[in-house]
Structures are given as C-alpha cells and as structure tokens.
Amino acid sequence: AMLELDRVKVVGRDAPDTIFALLGDEQMADNEAFTSLHQAHAKFLDAYRSQDWAAANTALTEHASEYKALGLAKTAEIYRARIADISTASLPPDWDGTFEATQK
C-alpha cells in the first residue's frame, strides 16, 4: 500500500526523485480507506501538477479526514501551504509539480 507523495529535486541533483509513503502491506492495499485515498490523491496530484489550484485545494478539503486517518494530515497541510505560495507565482506551462529544495 504505497502512495506517491511528491516529486522532489534536492540540492546537488539534476533530476527529481519521486517520494512514496509505505502505508502497509497487501491487506492495507485492499483496505477501502486506502483505495479511496489512493484514487483521491491521484486526482489531487493531477490537479496540482496541471496548476488547477482550485481543484487541488478542493481535493485536499474533501479528503481531509482520509488523509488524517492514514497519518498523512501533515502532507495535506504541506501541499495546502505550497499551493498558497505558488498559486500566485509565474510558473512555466510545462511545470511538472516538482518541488525544488533550496537547502539540504
């Protein structure tokens, strides 16, 4: 039961790394709460990476209890703060959602 969290480009690396959360075993992967969040989070990532900030925020709000139930409330908060910061920025049209860390 893995959930893609983010694409991160760290200082000193040219290519981004994809970060996943391992939430459980095969039994968890079949759990209704996990499958629901997995689908919702995939839709969130699509909206986020396509710069559809309203849809991304809506997804975070609608599924806040699911994020919390699986221990990912902080992840949702980080994304909400990131959206607030970058939604007014001038991002290139081909921006793929990669977060670029500025320090180690």
Side-chain angles (χ1 to χ4, degrees):
M2 290 181 23
L3 188 71
E4 180 183 348
L5 294 182
D6 207 354
R7 289 185 199 137
V8 178
K9 184 177 174 188
V10 296
V11 177
R13 303 264 324 227
D14 292 330
D17 292 310
T18 303
I19 308 296
F20 292 88
L22 177 61
L23 299 173
D25 59 11
E26 297 87 5
Q27 190 173 17
M28 173 60 101
D30 292 333
N31 179 291
E32 185 177 329
F34 172 77
T35 57
S36 176
L37 182 60
H38 190 271
Q39 293 170 356
H41 189 68
K43 289 179 183 176
F44 159 75
L45 287 175
D46 286 341
Y48 175 78
R49 291 174 179 159
S50 65
Q51 302 180 42
D52 185 347
W53 310 125
N57 270 319
T58 297
L60 290 174
T61 300
E62 288 178 354
H63 300 283
S65 63
E66 294 168 81
Y67 282 103
K68 183 177 180 181
L70 292 175
L72 297 171
K74 184 68 175 173
T75 299
E77 288 176 31
I78 289 168
Y79 267 115
R80 201 177 287 286
R82 203 182 287 172
I83 290 168
D85 287 342
I86 64 176
S87 63
T88 58
S90 180
L91 297 171
D94 63 344
W95 181 74
D96 66 357
T98 298
F99 176 76
E100 293 193 37
T102 57
Q103 55 185 328
K104 289 187 178 184

